[in-house]
Amino acid sequence: MANLSEAKLREELQKKKLRSVYVAVGEDAFKLDYYAEQALRVLFPDGQPVVREVIYGDELDQSALLDSARTLSLWDPHKFILVRQAERLSAKQWEGLTDLIENPPERCTVFFQTVKADGRVKFFQFLSKAGDEVVQVKLEPSAGGEWNKWLQAFLKESGKDLAEEARPLLQEWTGNSIAELKSLVGRAALFAGNASEIRREHVSAV
């Protein structure tokens, strides 16, 4: 399986199903981090020690990453490697990581975050023929019903309701960015103080 829809990814993570390699592609920083965090929670439920490495694209060494993915302590049941800003990798660096596709690591999950996937690069050509343990997930901009679901989740976190008069302004200012939506709801909730709902003036104030 090479491509996995966002809805399918969400469903699998809810069912505690995890694959070896994820390449999450999208421009919304919140979504990229949200799904990485959900995958991490599948591996390490609350209360368990977390074995995690975070690597940035412009600091990545292909050989070191491959070695790390295949080297685990006897005491660690699993390892999670998060590669942020993978769009900064060169074509040659991506090519050096194709072994992850051909021989997915065991007891290790590697989660790439990137704003783009260049089909001309050998890694992504190999990815299109990958087995079930390696998937690419395209994270689309949120709109309509999905935007509303995220909004309700953030309102629940803040302990506030939203006045209908504030919804159009919230949509206008955040567009399809879930990261902006989360930030704006959080800041508006602070301006709302002890009020039970976020009103238009609270949104305008931020």
Side-chain angles (χ1 to χ4, degrees):
M1 177 181 290
N3 292 297
L4 195 69
S5 69
E6 183 177 348
K8 186 65 175 177
L9 171 63
R10 189 162 51 243
E11 177 186 326
E12 289 189 357
L13 293 178
Q14 288 173 349
K15 293 179 178 179
K16 311 301 182 184
K17 178 179 179 179
L18 206 61
R19 300 173 191 264
S20 297
V21 179
Y22 292 91
V23 181
V25 184
E27 296 184 355
D28 195 308
F30 173 82
K31 280 193 173 187
L32 289 170
D33 283 342
Y34 174 81
Y35 288 112
E37 182 65 25
Q38 294 305 303
L40 184 68
R41 289 182 181 180
V42 171
L43 288 177
F44 306 103
D46 291 343
Q48 289 192 13
V50 175
V51 184
R52 172 174 56 181
E53 295 180 20
V54 179
I55 305 169
Y56 286 83
D58 54 3
E59 302 172 352
L60 184 143
D61 178 282
Q62 306 98 286
S63 297
L65 173 58
L66 293 174
D67 287 344
S68 180
R70 305 196 190 287
T71 306
L72 284 86
S73 164
L74 293 175
W75 296 273
D76 296 330
H78 213 102
K79 178 187 288 186
F80 185 83
I81 301 177
L82 175 62
V83 182
R84 295 183 179 275
Q85 300 173 351
E87 66 276 1
R88 296 185 177 182
L89 294 176
S90 67
K92 186 175 181 179
Q93 285 177 303
W94 277 118
E95 184 176 345
L97 296 172
T98 54
D99 189 59
L100 287 174
I101 300 174
E102 298 176 310
N103 301 289
E106 297 181 6
R107 295 172 53 210
C108 180
T109 295
V110 184
F111 197 105
F112 291 92
Q113 298 176 329
T114 179
V115 299
K116 62 182 180 179
D118 189 342
R120 299 170 298 177
V121 175
K122 185 176 291 186
F123 178 92
F124 293 100
Q125 293 172 2
F126 275 54
L127 187 60
S128 67
K129 305 172 184 177
D132 287 346
E133 285 302 309
V134 183
V135 293
Q136 176 177 302
V137 185
K138 177 67 174 176
L139 304 178
E140 301 290 350
S142 298
E146 187 185 4
W147 187 89
N148 286 322
K149 288 180 181 179
W150 287 111
L151 171 61
Q152 293 307 315
F154 299 147
L155 288 172
K156 185 176 180 179
E157 286 180 6
S158 70
K160 305 288 186 185
D161 294 321
L162 180 69
E164 279 303 313
E165 64 181 21
R167 181 182 293 267
L169 186 59
L170 200 59
Q171 289 177 313
E172 178 185 348
W173 284 13
T174 62
N176 293 327
S177 172
I178 300 303
E180 286 295 326
L181 178 61
K182 179 177 176 63
S183 175
L184 190 55
V185 168
R187 287 180 288 153
L190 290 176
F191 274 98
N194 294 326
S196 61
E197 65 178 10
I198 296 172
R199 298 190 296 272
R200 183 182 176 87
E201 59 263 31
H202 300 143
V203 176
S204 299
V206 302

